[in-house]
Amino acid sequence: MAHTELKAMSFPFKDPKFIFFTDFDGTITLKDSNDFMTDNIGFGGDMRRQGNRDVLENHKTFRDSFREMMDSVTRPFPECVDYLVENIKLDPHFNEFFQWALKNEIPTVVLSSGMRPVIKGILEKLVGKDADKIDIVCNEAVAREGKRIDEEGGWRIEYHDESGFGHDKSLEIRPYAKLPANKRPTMFYAGDGVSDLSAARETDLLFAKKGHDLVSYCARENVPFTIFEDWSSILATVKKIVAGKQSVDEAAKEGFEMYKQGAAGVKPANGHAK
């Protein structure tokens, strides 16, 4: 991929020194919109959680598990969007982080396994006029063959790529990592769960949400990470790194120490993800 095709190198700022990539559901938002929809108007939380376990234990691809979740929701898609925009809230500190990032010319890029109309609807409502400065790379929702997207059982998820993730987030990040040293920005990523596994190795510093599946995965696979509870802790760490007061390696070392001490919200587990 050519440098000119790397959108975050020119939008909304040219040649940034830092880029913040982030998951959306359960990371920027307090609740995962897809989980919320599946639990309340789909096949329910028990089946969803079993699907997550199957993915973490390599019994099933995320692509297949997530399609099963979305297929269990049969309401017309516009009703789904309205339902989620009404019920999903942002982390209370995300807007503070985002406004600071804009002032410091740090692009924020959402890499999501969710669907564009849902993400755009929530961000437009809760971020406001600056929401269009967030680049969104995600899946889509399309009409099923012979049906309309606004009728019962009329929609399905359309994946971003052909990978086992449906949207392999690492494919978006990796071309930036291959830029020449004098062009390559320092890259951050924030996530919480199984859809973030492909991205976990790709950036300079990974923020893994306390108490969630991604922490267990990173510890098991020796992927450097630090812990966040909300976006205030992300902002504090990124501010220190941007100011040159802390290195990404030092931040990652802190995260693994928290995990070993049992302060990451999951139990250290002899190499096994919980």
Side-chain angles (χ1 to χ4, degrees):
M1 185 180 285
H3 178 198
T4 54
E5 294 174 297
L6 301 179
K7 187 172 180 181
M9 296 304 292
S10 59
F11 173 84
F13 310 107
K14 185 167 174 54
D15 293 331
K17 291 183 170 57
F18 302 89
I19 300 175
F20 205 106
F21 296 96
T22 177
D23 175 48
F24 182 72
D25 282 293
T27 301
I28 290 178
T29 62
L30 293 177
K31 297 176 183 174
D32 184 304
S33 66
N34 304 298
D35 290 357
F36 184 82
M37 185 164 64
T38 303
D39 292 359
N40 290 287
I41 57 174
F43 58 33
D46 289 344
M47 289 184 69
R48 174 183 62 76
R49 285 185 286 272
Q50 182 57 53
N52 278 353
R53 285 192 290 271
D54 289 343
V55 173
L56 281 169
E57 294 166 6
N58 296 317
H59 299 315
K60 186 181 286 188
T61 65
F62 179 82
R63 182 191 191 95
D64 289 343
S65 175
F66 195 65
R67 186 187 297 282
E68 289 167 6
M69 282 171 55
M70 294 300 96
D71 283 351
S72 77
V73 178
T74 59
R75 278 195 194 179
F77 192 68
E79 289 185 21
C80 294
V81 174
D82 290 345
Y83 178 67
L84 294 173
V85 168
E86 184 65 30
N87 284 283
I88 299 300
K89 307 301 179 195
L90 295 191
D91 180 297
H93 301 282
F94 175 74
N95 274 327
E96 182 188 358
F97 168 86
F98 179 52
Q99 291 302 322
W100 177 86
L102 288 176
K103 286 188 180 74
N104 287 272
E105 299 193 352
I106 299 173
T108 301
V109 182
V110 167
L111 302 180
S112 176
S113 293
M115 295 165 286
R116 187 175 306 277
V118 172
I119 297 167
K120 282 193 70 173
I122 293 170
L123 288 176
E124 285 170 0
K125 178 185 177 187
L126 299 175
V127 171
K129 62 181 177 61
D130 287 327
D132 62 359
K133 296 186 176 83
I134 300 175
D135 188 25
I136 302 169
V137 186
C138 62
N139 297 317
E140 303 287 349
V142 297
R144 291 185 182 276
E145 191 171 345
K147 295 199 170 189
R148 298 190 324 273
I149 200 167
D150 61 352
E151 66 178 301
E152 187 80 14
W155 65 276
R156 63 174 177 82
I157 190 166
E158 182 171 81
Y159 283 121
H160 183 262
D161 58 46
E162 297 304 313
S163 70
F165 292 97
H167 177 194
D168 184 343
K169 299 176 181 182
S170 69
L171 300 179
E172 300 297 325
I173 300 170
R174 203 169 293 147
Y176 293 90
K178 292 180 178 177
L179 288 169
N182 64 336
K183 288 282 190 183
R184 184 195 183 283
T186 298
M187 296 181 293
F188 306 101
Y189 184 85
D192 71 323
V194 291
S195 76
D196 301 304
L197 302 185
S198 72
R201 295 180 184 274
E202 300 298 327
T203 52
D204 299 296
L205 182 62
L206 170 73
F207 292 87
K209 194 165 189 178
K210 183 177 180 178
H212 287 253
D213 294 330
L214 191 59
V215 173
S216 301
Y217 171 82
C218 291
R220 186 185 72 198
E221 300 293 326
N222 293 313
V223 175
F225 67 98
T226 192
I227 304 297
F228 78 98
E229 290 193 60
D230 59 42
W231 281 78
S232 66
S233 54
I234 291 178
L235 177 57
T237 300
V238 175
K239 275 183 174 178
K240 284 191 283 186
I241 292 168
V242 169
K245 295 178 180 176
Q246 185 179 44
S247 71
V248 290
D249 290 340
E250 287 166 345
K253 194 175 293 184
E254 280 182 9
F256 198 69
E257 286 302 315
M258 286 178 69
Y259 171 77
K260 288 194 296 184
Q261 293 163 14
V266 295
K267 292 180 181 176
N270 301 320
H272 296 289
K274 292 293 184 187

